[in-house]
Amino acid sequence: MPSPELRRAVVIEDDSDIRGLLVRILTKQGFEVTGTADGLAGIAAVRATRPDLVTLDLNLPDLDGLEVCSKLREFSEAFIIMLTARVDEPDKLTGLDNGADDYINKPFSPREFQSRVNALFRRARPSAADAGAQDDLIHAGRVQQSLLPTEKVQLDGYEVAGVFRPSRSVGGDFYDWYQTPGGLHLTFADAMGKGMGAALIAATTRAVMRSVRYVPDLDAAFSAASTSIAADLDGSGSFVTLFHARLDAASGRVGYVDAGHGLALHVGTGGTAVRLPSAGPPVGAWADTQWREAELDLSPGDALVVVSDGILDIFPSVEEFTAAVLRVTLTQPTADAVCHALLALAPAGTAEDDVTAVVVRRLAGGDGR
C-alpha cells in the first residue's frame, strides 16, 4: 500500500459542493487530490496524475459515469468508488461489472466514505507485477524445498531426520546431509535475514559445502569452504552461521566445526543436554577468521540435535530452551517425531523467523556397524 504522502486521488463530480466535500475529506486522509467537473476532464486527470483512488459520479454532463469507468479500466488500476443518487440494483451491478470497486449512494456520510476508502486500501489490489513476483516466490519456495535432502539415510544403528519451515515463501535456514562410505556428512546453516536474499545465500552455502565433501581433513575442508563463502558474502554485506559435522558410524565419533551457530546440542540418555561450543563468529562476519574442529562421541541412545534460532527465540532464557529440547528429544519415539515436536514449540502463527531442526540419533543397543 502506498504511504499516505504518496497517495493521489481524482474526484470526478459535477456538483461543486459535493466535489469540494470529497476533496476536503480525501485531503484530510493524506491524498493529493485533483477535482474535475466532467467525465472527459476526469479521464485526462487520471492519465496525468496516475492516482491510487478515483471517486466517480454516475450523472455527469458529458459522459455517463459507467462509460467513464470502462474507459478508466483500460489504462488505470486505481480503486474506483462510484457515488450516485441512482438506487436501482441493476445500476450498482453494472457499475461493479464495469470495474468499480465500491458503490455509495447519495446522500452519504463522510464517515462512511472514509471507512470505505480505508477498507479498500487495507486490501489493496495487487498489480500484475506483484502477482508475477508472488508466482516467482512460490516457485522459489518449491526450488528451495527441492534442495533439502530427500533420500532416507540407510545407516545401521542410526536414524536421521530434519524439518524446515520458512517464515516466508523462502527462508535463510537450510540443512543438508549425504552418506559417506563410513558414515554421514551434515551441514546446518542460517543466513542473515529473511526472504529471497537469505535463500540465495543459503543455496550458495549448500553448494560450496558439497564441493569440499572429498577433502578428508575437516579443518582444511571447512577453511576452503568458508573462504569461498566469505568471498560471495562480501559484496552483500551479509553473513551465515554454519555448523558442519562428519559422523564415523562405527565409533560414534562426530567431528564438527561451529561457526557462530551455537545451537547444536548433545543429548544423552542419562538426561543431559550439552550445547556444543561455537569455534568463532559466523562466516563472513570478520575477515581471516579460522575455525577449529571439535569432537563428541555419540553413545547408543544419544542424539545430536541442531536447531535454528527460530526455536530459541520463543524461550525467555537459554536454560529453558535447553530443557525443552532435552524433554522433547527424550520423550519422542523417533528422530522424525523429535523434529516435528521441536517445530511445534514455535507455532507457525506466532513464529517470526524460519524454524528448522535436524536430529541424528544413535539407536540404543546399536553398534553403528
Side-chain angles (χ1 to χ4, degrees):
M1 187 172 73
S3 58
E5 65 270 21
L6 296 178
R7 291 186 195 167
R8 296 183 177 87
V10 172
V11 174
I12 307 174
E13 170 63 57
D14 66 330
D15 186 303
S16 60
D17 291 336
I18 296 176
R19 184 170 65 250
L21 174 62
L22 291 171
V23 169
R24 286 196 298 275
I25 293 172
L26 290 171
T27 300
K28 194 172 182 179
Q29 286 186 279
F31 287 87
E32 181 181 297
V33 189
T34 302
T36 67
D38 60 63
L40 291 175
I43 292 171
V46 172
R47 286 189 183 278
T49 64
R50 301 176 63 187
D52 306 288
L53 174 69
V54 176
T55 70
L56 175 60
D57 183 23
L58 281 186
N59 296 313
L60 296 170
D62 53 351
L63 300 176
D64 184 82
L66 296 175
E67 182 181 357
V68 174
C69 185
S70 295
K71 290 182 179 295
L72 292 179
R73 277 292 170 251
E74 292 175 3
F75 65 90
S76 175
E77 287 292 328
F79 291 115
I80 298 176
I81 299 179
M82 286 189 163
L83 296 103
T84 180
R86 302 181 194 175
V87 295
D88 293 334
E89 184 178 37
D91 288 325
K92 292 184 179 180
L93 296 178
T94 302
L96 295 172
D97 288 342
N98 281 16
D101 295 284
D102 206 347
Y103 200 107
I104 301 177
N105 289 328
K106 296 177 182 178
F108 60 90
S109 160
R111 283 189 177 181
E112 178 192 4
F113 176 76
Q114 287 178 311
S115 296
R116 297 285 188 95
V117 171
N118 290 336
L120 285 176
F121 279 90
R122 278 198 301 269
R123 59 176 192 271
R125 175 190 291 110
S127 66
D130 291 336
Q134 186 61 35
D135 288 344
D136 288 345
L137 281 174
I138 292 172
H139 179 66
R142 291 173 182 153
V143 171
Q144 186 174 46
Q145 290 288 340
S146 74
L147 294 177
L148 299 175
T150 56
E151 68 273 13
K152 283 285 186 181
V153 174
Q154 303 296 326
L155 198 59
D156 289 345
Y158 294 86
E159 55 176 357
V160 181
V163 289
F164 164 58
R165 189 188 69 219
S167 61
R168 302 181 183 178
S169 297
V170 292
D173 288 3
F174 92 91
Y175 65 88
D176 187 31
W177 64 60
Y178 45 87
Q179 284 189 242
T180 62
L184 180 78
H185 286 191
L186 167 67
T187 302
F188 192 111
D190 185 355
M192 183 184 72
K194 301 180 180 67
M196 187 66 76
L200 290 172
I201 293 171
T204 299
T205 303
R206 174 188 183 275
V208 172
M209 293 307 300
R210 284 210 165 204
S211 73
V212 298
R213 62 189 297 178
Y214 297 114
V215 179
D217 180 74
L218 179 53
D219 277 341
F222 196 88
S223 177
S226 61
T227 299
S228 179
I229 295 169
D232 290 330
L233 293 174
D234 187 52
S236 65
S238 187
F239 61 82
V240 58
T241 69
L242 184 58
F243 178 87
H244 182 71
R246 294 181 173 184
L247 165 69
D248 177 73
S251 64
R253 175 190 173 276
V254 178
Y256 67 91
V257 176
D258 188 311
H261 190 68
L263 294 175
L265 298 92
H266 180 192
V267 177
T269 55
T272 60
V274 178
R275 289 179 61 211
L276 304 183
S278 177
V283 177
W286 286 282
D288 302 321
T289 301
Q290 295 294 318
W291 298 267
R292 294 302 176 193
E293 177 184 0
E295 295 183 3
L296 68 92
D297 291 315
L298 283 183
S299 301
D302 287 1
L304 170 64
V305 181
V306 193
V307 302
S308 63
D309 54 10
I311 296 176
L312 172 68
D313 290 345
I314 67 172
F315 293 95
S317 69
V318 174
E319 291 75 20
E320 291 180 62
F321 156 76
T322 303
V325 172
L326 174 63
R327 181 181 67 255
V328 166
T329 306
L330 294 181
T331 57
Q332 297 299 317
T334 66
D336 187 65
V338 172
C339 286
H340 285 90
L342 290 170
L343 223 66
L345 294 175
T350 57
E352 297 181 357
D353 202 353
D354 305 330
V355 180
T356 310
V358 170
V359 174
V360 178
R361 181 146 69 176
R362 189 173 187 185
L363 301 177
D367 62 3
R369 286 182 169 86

